[in-house]
Amino acid sequence: MAKIFTNGLSRRSFLAGTAASLGVPALAQNVDGAGSIEIEQEITDSVRRNISSFRALDWQPYFSNLNNGAVLVDISSRALHFWNEAGQYKLYPSSVPLSEELTRRGRTKVVRKVEGPSWRPTPSMLKRNPDWPDFVGPGPDNPLGTHALYLSWTYYRIHGTHDTRKIGRRSSNGCIGLYNQHIAELFANTKVGTQVLLI
């Protein structure tokens, strides 16, 4: 897509107009440009693109070492940062929890790795969504996608998703979701014991 520069067109009106033409939510900026507020829409067939803002992070303030590698999930920018023991770095776009109530922050670790995971909704999910099934086996209907990294926190996972519209959005019930090809790569590079930090 070509970049268009017009003196009479403000950044705000350009973003809003472009978003409207693409059928995606726009970013509304404060007048002084200091911050932005995202306007989320329901995930529907009309949503073609996701919004995500990446920011590079230096791992040193967050981890004292890279033993077993390290995962940092930045909820604000909807990104998962991974460093292996040698310090090699990868960045993945992610989905994050729908609300602050469902969001957990802090330190945890990978305690189990499952390829082809099955899924059971938590009691609180079933309370909010009584029509959901009690169990979904591995396959294209599974909300955990193709791979799952189970964390030491009960019910929390880093997992794939078959619904690619969720990536870059607030769309989960607490877990961190990745594209299936990205979770497969992360799965191969993490170990049981890999440290995880959600900020």
Side-chain angles (χ1 to χ4, degrees), residues 16 48 107 109 174-175:
R48 295 185 190 128
R107 293 188 184 274
K109 65 182 177 180
C175 293

Side-chain angles (χ1 to χ4, degrees), residues 38-136:
E38 181 170 345
I39 301 166
E40 289 280 353
Q41 293 178 343
E42 288 296 315
I43 299 175
T44 64
D45 292 334
S46 67
V47 176
R48 295 185 190 128
R49 300 186 192 266
N50 299 326
I51 291 180
S52 183
S53 59
F54 294 112
R55 58 181 176 167
L57 292 175
D58 180 11
W59 65 268
Q60 290 175 334
Y62 298 98
F63 301 102
S64 61
N65 64 65
L66 291 178
N67 298 343
N68 291 322
V71 170
L72 185 146
V73 178
D74 185 340
I75 301 294
S76 297
S77 67
R78 301 170 193 180
L80 183 146
H81 304 260
F82 171 71
W83 298 266
N84 67 15
E85 287 179 303
Q88 295 169 317
Y89 171 77
K90 291 288 246 178
L91 173 67
Y92 302 104
S94 70
S95 65
V96 297
L98 283 163
S99 68
E100 276 302 312
E101 294 178 334
L102 297 171
T103 301
R104 185 153 183 189
R105 290 180 174 83
R107 293 188 184 274
T108 181
K109 65 182 177 180
V110 175
V111 295
R112 187 161 64 111
K113 296 169 53 171
V114 177
E115 186 171 353
S118 56
W119 176 78
R120 291 180 190 279
T122 66
S124 60
M125 285 182 201
L126 283 173
K127 190 174 180 180
R128 288 190 306 271
N129 305 281
D131 56 330
W132 281 10
D134 291 332
F135 175 83
V136 178

Side-chain angles (χ1 to χ4, degrees), residues 138-153:
D141 295 328
N142 190 306
L144 299 183
T146 59
H147 298 76
L149 300 174
Y150 289 67
L151 304 179
S152 62
W153 298 333

Side-chain angles (χ1 to χ4, degrees), residues 144-163:
L144 299 183
T146 59
H147 298 76
L149 300 174
Y150 289 67
L151 304 179
S152 62
W153 298 333
T154 306
Y155 302 129
Y156 285 84
R157 321 266 186 270
I158 298 170
H159 61 80
T161 181
H162 299 292
D163 188 351

Side-chain angles (χ1 to χ4, degrees), residues 145-194:
T146 59
H147 298 76
L149 300 174
Y150 289 67
L151 304 179
S152 62
W153 298 333
T154 306
Y155 302 129
Y156 285 84
R157 321 266 186 270
I158 298 170
H159 61 80
T161 181
H162 299 292
D163 188 351
T164 59
R165 299 169 301 169
K166 291 183 173 187
I167 303 302
R169 298 178 65 91
R170 287 188 292 269
S171 60
S172 81
N173 280 282
C175 293
I176 303 302
L178 301 177
Y179 290 116
N180 280 330
Q181 65 269 29
H182 291 164
I183 190 63
E185 184 176 281
L186 184 66
F187 185 93
N189 289 306
T190 54
K191 304 173 181 179
V192 169
T194 294

